[in-house]
Amino acid sequence: MHIHIYLPDGSVREMPHGSTALEVAKSISEGLARVVLAAEVNGEVWDLSRPLPDKASLKLLKWEDDAGKNTFWHSSAHLLAEALEALYPGVKFGIGPPVENGFYYDIDFGDYAFSSLDFEKVENKMLELAQQAYAYERSEVSKADAIAYFEQKGDPYKIELLQDLEDGKITFYRQGNFTDLCRGPHIPDTGRIKAVKLLNTAGAYWRGNEKNKQLTRIYGITFPNSKELKEYLFMLEEAKKRDHRKLGKELELFTFSEKVGMGLPLWLPKGALLREKLENFMRKAQIKAGYQQVVTPHIGSKDLYVTSGHWEKYGKDSFKPILTPHEGEEYLLKPMNCPHHCEIYKSKPRSYRDLPVRLAEFGTVYRYEMSGELHGLTRVRGFTQDDAHLFCRHDQVKEEFKKVIDLVLYTFNALGFTDYTAQISLRDPENREKYIGTDEAWEKAESAIIEAAAEKGLKTVTELGEAAFYGPKLDFMVRDALGRKWQLGTIQVDYNLPERFELEYTGSDNQKYRPVMIHRAPFGSMERFIAVLLEHCGGNFPLWLAPEQVAVLPISEKFKDYTQKVSENLINYDIRSFIDDRDEKIGRKIRDAEVKKVPYMLIIGEKEQENGQVAVRKHGQGDLGVMSIDAFVALINEESNKEINKN
RNA sequence: GCCGUUGUAGCUCAGUGGUAGAGCACUUCCUUGGUAAGGAAGAGGUCGACAGUUCAAUUCUGUUCAACGGCUCCA
């Protein structure tokens, strides 16, 4: 009796009945058998030790495959649990899944405060257990037996998990002395794990619910060899160097002050200049796209937000209302610009001929974020949105949506973002009562977004249940230096606010109609965008954005007058520069300008003065030779123009 | 908000139950130097804040504030 196994290259292998994926690997080569971690059997990931069915399509998963890594890390989580059980008898186990970079296990340590000081001990224990090369053994158990096992062991979390599982589909995995409830699959044995590093600990609520007990989550990562671990740790160090909080301080872009308040960034001169450049870029693009700028106050009457529905839904996330001293009127620090813009729309009667009306504002908003949530510039309590609201007719929605996608892509392109994902967020079909608005309106909005994204050729992922309460949306997400995902640009359809504010326009038939509203912000917030941009370019801004474009470096004070002349020339051409006239050697001035990541340096000495030239040095590249001032100005202008207009 | 870690000079960080340290930055002086750190001197700290223990606390204990790593949330 033989079975037939189909391999990814199209070949078919004949194996004895009952053969496992590991045996298939061995039949190909011993080397392969040593590195294979798991098997994908008919699209499902399996242990290597399970007998294969006839006519199975088989893919052998190695470290290089994401599913292989996941299996490896999942097995590592079990190894961590085994080590913990050995070192801290009586600990209770939550869940221990693989994550993007490694794995974690949620542990109830009882009264013991587990901390990073314990890491080394646990790492050593893990390595010791790994060396025993215990096999991961799969067994099927009945629900009653499974519950009995954990009752006897005293693991209440596992019992809670078991309650939700269907009898007959429950499996245990055992390696060494440790048995865990687990769907699997796992790598063949612990011996594959050669390098172990625990990364950090964190509190995590059982099942992610704030009302439940908080467990200690231990994050770790493992590798099949120590070289890869070293490389990973090196990469982590490099990423830390790009952290926007570090670069923001070093490059003097922004700061925080306890006195001003947490989550409230202070923009230093260079950071403010950078923001201004980005705002001007967006303003110009928006004018081309037919937007009009408006300005609205930082506070608005509470009534405004009661009308918009935000008070009811997000009142707890706003700063508490401010009262006027005598009348006791209630005002909110504005958490949103849209209600204000609705009132601007209403300030005069609108005709169908006027639509779409596109109102834009760099609007600063204030939202209460929980203290533990604040994070550099990416999560703050006061921030400026590059906000705009488009009021249009139903038949214009899709077209407007597409134009906004164009604007977002133009922006990302100009700033060098190529690694982003577009997420379409739709309503949760199970929970329709969570949302404001009619089914009909929602269906129209959702199909408009899906069609617009498809026609623009966006690569998208669709998430059910991620929509805002008032409408579906399209978000653009990018990753920061440490791999964390951040939402930047957003486009949202809103059929709700026009209703609540009773917005109208007069149609060609002289009847009144409701416009549709589109909220959109290509940057999202200036703060978050700059944070991500800073990490993206590692502080080496494109020339057109660099707060300081040119450092003018005289070799000695003898060339003071000529240096001054060069500087005036640059100012005349709107090139941002500064003179370093300290009593230092030229090598020192160059070093300091390089560290500050100034794109260009001009070295001014006797030769340059005599010939009316400048010696040009480019950041990160070195000496470009001498040229006339005019030639340098042309070089700068050409480079900036090329950067902005690369679309 | 919750759990854990951290808090010493402008920055990066040593250190101690008995009057506080380094490097860089800063100030002054010397140096006038050609493509990534010239030399010397000086100034700078209520050791996050508030209590407690102690003859004595920056050090030990408690509380609090903030930052960091997560959880939860994100119009």
Side-chain angles (χ1 to χ4, degrees):
Chain A
M1 266 271 281
H2 281 79
I3 53 170
H4 294 83
I5 304 298
Y6 303 96
L7 296 171
D9 64 358
S11 67
V12 182
R13 213 155 254 267
E14 204 176 281
M15 298 291 294
H17 183 77
S19 291
T20 65
L22 189 61
E23 283 157 355
V24 175
K26 270 187 189 147
S27 79
I28 296 171
S29 85
E30 280 294 328
L32 178 61
R34 274 198 300 275
V35 296
V36 67
L37 297 169
E40 194 178 303
V41 181
N42 297 328
E44 209 175 293
V45 185
W46 279 27
D47 299 311
L48 288 172
S49 56
R50 278 175 78 177
L52 296 168
D54 191 18
K55 299 197 174 103
S57 72
L58 172 72
K59 187 182 176 204
L60 295 167
L61 299 171
K62 298 184 287 179
W63 176 252
E64 291 70 30
D65 301 295
D66 284 347
K69 273 199 182 76
N70 273 338
T71 306
F72 189 86
W73 284 332
H74 189 181
S75 301
S76 302
H78 283 228
L79 181 65
L80 168 62
E82 185 183 4
L84 290 168
E85 192 163 70
L87 293 169
Y88 309 90
V91 294
K92 298 173 176 55
F93 295 95
I95 56 167
V99 290
E100 206 172 337
N101 287 300
F103 57 89
Y104 66 80
Y105 218 116
D106 284 345
I107 310 288
D108 183 349
F109 279 97
D111 292 332
Y112 183 68
F114 184 86
S115 77
S116 54
L117 299 172
D118 299 291
F119 282 179
E120 204 179 327
K121 189 164 71 170
V122 177
E123 285 165 2
N124 289 337
K125 190 72 183 178
M126 285 173 75
L127 287 170
E128 181 193 318
L129 293 168
Q131 276 165 11
Q132 305 300 315
Y134 294 123
Y136 287 88
E137 293 164 18
R138 181 176 191 272
S139 61
E140 292 178 11
V141 288
S142 71
K143 189 164 177 172
D145 287 352
I147 290 175
Y149 174 80
F150 285 112
E151 265 173 1
Q152 167 262 319
K153 197 184 163 200
D155 244 335
Y157 304 106
K158 295 293 180 188
I159 295 170
E160 199 181 321
L161 291 173
L162 275 164
Q163 311 292 357
D164 297 342
L165 296 180
E166 199 181 318
D167 200 3
K169 289 190 173 174
I170 296 170
T171 52
F172 275 8
Y173 275 83
R174 184 172 78 85
Q175 94 269 11
N177 291 318
F178 180 77
T179 301
D180 203 353
L181 167 69
C182 184
R183 188 186 301 122
H186 284 282
I187 58 177
D189 63 77
T190 60
R192 303 294 182 100
I193 301 168
K194 304 283 193 200
V196 170
K197 184 79 187 167
L198 297 186
L199 298 167
N200 52 43
T201 62
Y205 300 107
W206 170 238
R207 303 197 128 182
N209 187 334
E210 233 177 310
K211 295 191 179 74
N212 287 341
K213 178 158 185 183
Q214 192 155 33
L215 308 178
T216 303
R217 177 167 297 179
I218 303 173
Y219 283 90
I221 192 163
T222 50
F223 294 91
N225 61 61
S226 53
K227 184 171 153 255
E228 294 223 30
L229 172 62
K230 262 188 208 154
E231 283 169 5
Y232 178 75
L233 293 176
F234 178 75
M235 193 276 293
L236 269 190
E237 289 304 309
E238 287 303 298
K240 274 186 198 159
K241 288 182 195 162
R242 283 177 165 247
D243 191 312
H244 77 274
R245 292 165 298 185
K246 183 176 154 70
L247 285 170
K249 189 183 270 185
E250 285 170 2
L251 302 178
E252 298 182 347
L253 299 174
F254 56 86
T255 189
F256 290 88
S257 148
E258 282 188 30
K259 266 228 162 72
V260 171
M262 57 168 118
L264 300 170
L266 302 174
W267 289 88
L268 304 174
K270 288 180 203 171
L273 195 48
L274 178 64
R275 258 180 82 132
E276 191 186 302
K277 291 289 152 197
L278 284 169
E279 286 188 8
N280 288 344
F281 168 85
M282 186 57 69
R283 258 191 207 108
K284 198 169 162 190
Q286 287 180 166
I287 287 168
K288 275 191 202 159
Y291 291 68
Q292 298 165 289
Q293 287 290 135
V294 295
V295 176
T296 65
H298 284 237
I299 64 173
S301 123
K302 184 177 142 189
D303 268 358
L304 182 65
Y305 298 99
V306 171
T307 302
S308 71
H310 291 113
W311 175 251
E312 188 196 342
K313 191 90 181 169
Y314 292 105
K316 62 181 184 339
D317 298 318
S318 298
F319 284 92
K320 287 209 169 163
I322 331 168
L323 299 178
T324 55
H326 300 299
E327 302 86 344
E329 296 163 311
E330 291 186 288
Y331 286 86
L332 283 189
L333 264 173
K334 78 171 165 189
M336 299 282 291
N337 301 303
C338 32
H340 291 75
H341 290 185
C342 285
E343 288 300 305
I344 290 178
Y345 178 88
K346 277 183 90 168
S347 65
K348 69 173 187 181
R350 306 283 178 174
S351 147
Y352 73 98
R353 298 173 200 274
D354 302 332
L355 302 186
V357 170
R358 307 182 186 93
L359 304 178
E361 172 176 19
F362 290 93
T364 305
V365 296
Y366 300 89
R367 297 175 186 179
Y368 168 72
E369 299 281 356
M370 289 193 290
S371 57
E373 274 313 319
L374 302 171
H375 181 94
L377 285 184
T378 50
R379 200 68 189 269
V380 288
R381 284 179 170 173
F383 58 95
T384 302
Q385 298 175 309
D386 58 327
D387 209 359
H389 298 95
L390 319 184
F391 302 87
C392 58
R393 305 191 305 259
H394 282 79
D395 60 294
Q396 293 171 320
V397 170
K398 200 168 116 189
E399 192 53 36
E400 283 305 301
F401 214 89
K402 283 162 73 178
K403 282 188 194 166
V404 177
I405 294 176
D406 283 337
L407 183 64
V408 173
L409 296 184
Y410 169 75
T411 306
F412 281 17
N413 220 336
L415 290 150
F417 286 111
T418 48
D419 184 17
Y420 55 84
T421 54
Q423 177 181 314
I424 299 178
S425 300
L426 304 178
R427 197 162 46 151
D428 178 357
E430 313 273 301
N431 262 316
R432 296 199 163 176
E433 66 282 4
K434 267 177 29 187
Y435 306 95
I436 295 174
T438 66
D439 275 357
E440 192 201 352
W442 271 85
E443 274 151 29
K444 268 193 274 184
E446 292 184 342
S447 55
I449 293 186
I450 294 167
E451 285 167 27
E455 283 170 36
K456 283 291 158 195
L458 284 183
K459 268 191 286 178
T460 56
V461 289
T462 302
E463 296 287 343
L464 294 176
E466 289 293 308
F469 77 93
Y470 53 73
K473 58 183 182 174
L474 177 66
D475 291 325
F476 292 83
M477 330 277 276
V478 299
R479 277 171 194 285
D480 71 10
L482 296 166
R484 287 180 283 221
K485 261 194 194 169
W486 296 102
Q487 180 204 309
L488 291 182
T490 180
I491 318 175
Q492 316 184 344
V493 178
D494 187 348
Y495 284 97
N496 173 53
L497 278 186
E499 201 66 48
R500 286 181 161 262
F501 280 92
E502 300 179 324
L503 304 184
E504 292 181 334
Y505 66 89
T506 307
S508 55
D509 55 0
N510 204 28
Q511 300 289 306
K512 299 292 183 197
Y513 293 95
R514 282 266 179 278
V516 183
M517 216 172 145
I518 297 173
H519 310 244
R520 43 101 284 172
F523 289 146
S525 91
M526 300 309 293
E527 284 74 9
R528 177 174 292 177
F529 189 84
I530 288 173
V532 176
L533 176 64
L534 196 46
E535 303 199 348
H536 182 67
C537 65
N540 297 304
F541 292 112
L543 185 61
W544 69 280
L545 279 178
E548 288 171 326
Q549 297 173 304
V550 181
V552 184
L553 313 177
I555 285 177
S556 88
E557 67 185 73
K558 284 192 281 193
F559 317 111
K560 195 175 166 191
D561 290 344
Y562 180 61
T563 299
Q564 197 59 44
K565 194 184 143 203
V566 170
S567 165
E568 277 162 18
N569 246 298
L570 297 176
I571 291 168
N572 283 339
Y573 286 102
D574 289 330
I575 294 170
R576 301 183 287 280
S577 68
F578 67 94
I579 300 173
D580 182 353
D581 56 2
R582 290 174 304 166
D583 235 358
E584 293 290 349
K585 290 191 174 179
I586 194 65
R588 175 54 179 274
K589 294 182 185 182
I590 287 169
R591 185 191 141 76
D592 288 349
E594 288 282 356
V595 169
K596 282 163 74 181
K597 303 179 192 292
V598 181
Y600 283 97
M601 286 149 270
L602 297 182
I603 287 89
I604 310 287
E606 191 160 2
K607 280 182 285 182
E608 289 73 22
Q609 180 171 279
E610 272 172 20
N611 303 323
Q613 291 182 314
V614 288
V616 181
R617 183 189 164 99
K618 191 165 185 176
H619 168 60
Q621 287 185 24
D623 198 353
L624 297 188
V626 291
M627 60 183 80
S628 70
I629 301 178
D630 287 347
F632 178 68
V633 168
L635 178 97
I636 294 284
N637 286 335
E638 196 191 335
E639 186 175 330
S640 328
N641 286 333
K642 214 160 72 190
E643 283 171 352
I644 305 180
N645 299 317
K646 68 179 151 206
N647 287 278

